[in-house]
Amino acid sequence: FPVTIRTTNNLESYQKWLEDISELEAFIEENGAWRYIKMSVDTTKPGLTESYTYFVTEIQPNLAPLLNELNKKMMESPFHKELSKDPAFAIYFRSVEVQLALFREVNIPIEAYLGEKSQEFGSISAAQTIEHDGATLTMQQASVFLKNQDADLRENVYLKIATRRRQDMDSLNALYTGLITKRNELALNAGFDNYRDYMFQNLGRFDYTKEACFDKGWDWVSAFGNGERKPLGQSNAPGFDLRPPSTKR
């Protein structure tokens, strides 16, 4: 990791150092993304699942402290303030500050656990298929039929999808229970009251508050719950023909 020990004696070398960090982060992100894509495309090959699991349980946890040190070095540099005058760099540095504020070494194994369990959810979902007209369809392929003009066809496919998903209900419920517990622990370790508030900051929501989301979100939920559901041209539409209310006011 030569980039961690390099010195930056002037603004030009500092900018070059930032570029190299960006390249490093892009490489790591792309490596993880391709492992995930290959695993999701073919769930029948254990080696692909093991490759992604290794990334989230071994590579990322070992990189986390090093990347945190890079962020510290970046923000402690005397050239940081000078570059902050550039709006583009200011936005980037603001995100780095958030990551520094959220980092807790105790959360590294928790994040590894969350990554592994999220991968399990992806594997379970990717393996779900239905049989229709002699063809095996993924859930994404089957969902196309839910937009068909034939109501009987929509209902038939909808029920097949629901039946197949119900087969994984117990395993997914157990998975979600574990995720909720660990996500809450992660947030508490970082000084937050709950995982929602932690993720709001982690995702870099700088231009609005979480309270603003409450207003819009509850407007939508309330309207949907109070019968403002809009069926597809029917007065009493079944569940597979309902869609959320329009957000336009």
Side-chain angles (χ1 to χ4, degrees), residues 1 3 22 63 71 83 86 94 96 102 128 130 148 153 164 168 173 175 190 195 202 205-206 208 218 232-233 245:
F1 248 61
V3 73
S22 178
L63 284 175
N71 286 339
L83 273 186
D86 183 324
R94 183 172 60 177
V96 172
L102 294 179
Q128 292 176 342
I130 67 167
N148 195 283
L153 174 61
R164 176 60 187 89
D168 293 322
N173 281 344
L175 186 61
Y195 185 70
N202 188 38
R205 304 303 190 223
F206 301 114
Y208 52 91
W218 281 113
L232 302 176

Side-chain angles (χ1 to χ4, degrees), residues 59-209:
I59 295 178
Q60 282 187 323
N62 283 293
L63 284 175
L66 295 173
L67 294 176
N68 186 63
E69 289 303 312
L70 280 177
N71 286 339
K72 284 182 180 179
K73 183 175 180 179
M74 183 190 308
M75 303 307 287
E76 290 170 356
S77 170
F79 305 111
H80 155 250
K81 290 185 178 179
E82 188 172 348
L83 273 186
S84 294
K85 298 174 184 177
D86 183 324
F89 278 104
I91 292 172
Y92 172 66
F93 288 143
R94 183 172 60 177
S95 298
V96 172
E97 286 176 344
V98 168
Q99 294 310 308
L100 279 171
L102 294 179
F103 180 81
R104 300 290 188 281
E105 194 162 350
V106 68
N107 277 341
I108 293 177
I110 297 177
E111 290 172 340
Y113 171 90
L114 294 175
E116 184 177 7
K117 293 303 176 182
S118 296
Q119 169 261 318
E120 286 185 27
F121 169 80
S123 297
I124 292 172
S125 300
Q128 292 176 342
T129 60
I130 67 167
E131 298 295 323
H132 181 70
D133 280 348
T136 300
L137 304 177
T138 65
M139 292 305 187
Q140 289 78 10
Q141 292 171 323
S143 66
V144 174
F145 290 99
L146 300 180
K147 301 177 183 179
N148 195 283
Q149 294 297 311
D150 186 336
D152 290 335
L153 174 61
R154 292 197 304 273
E155 180 178 13
N156 181 263
V157 172
Y158 173 84
L159 293 175
K160 287 181 178 180
I161 290 174
T163 299
R164 176 60 187 89
R165 285 177 172 162
R166 195 175 296 118
Q167 294 175 17
D168 293 322
M169 183 173 63
D170 290 340
S171 57
L172 287 176
N173 281 344
L175 186 61
Y176 283 138
T177 298
L179 285 171
I180 290 171
T181 300
K182 286 297 182 180
R183 284 173 173 175
N184 186 61
E185 185 180 345
L186 181 86
L188 293 178
N189 288 342
F192 290 83
D193 293 331
N194 53 67
Y195 185 70
R196 178 203 64 207
D197 292 355
Y198 169 87
M199 283 305 298
F200 191 87
Q201 184 164 340
N202 188 38
L203 291 172
R205 304 303 190 223
F206 301 114
D207 298 324
Y208 52 91
T209 65

Side-chain angles (χ1 to χ4, degrees), residues 30-72:
E30 183 177 354
N31 186 277
W34 275 115
R35 290 173 190 245
Y36 180 81
I37 291 169
K38 290 176 181 178
M39 174 193 69
S40 301
V41 168
D42 190 348
T43 59
T44 64
K45 294 183 178 178
L48 297 178
T49 299
E50 291 169 4
S51 174
Y52 181 74
T53 300
Y54 182 79
F55 182 83
V56 298
T57 60
E58 295 293 335
I59 295 178
Q60 282 187 323
N62 283 293
L63 284 175
L66 295 173
L67 294 176
N68 186 63
E69 289 303 312
L70 280 177
N71 286 339
K72 284 182 180 179

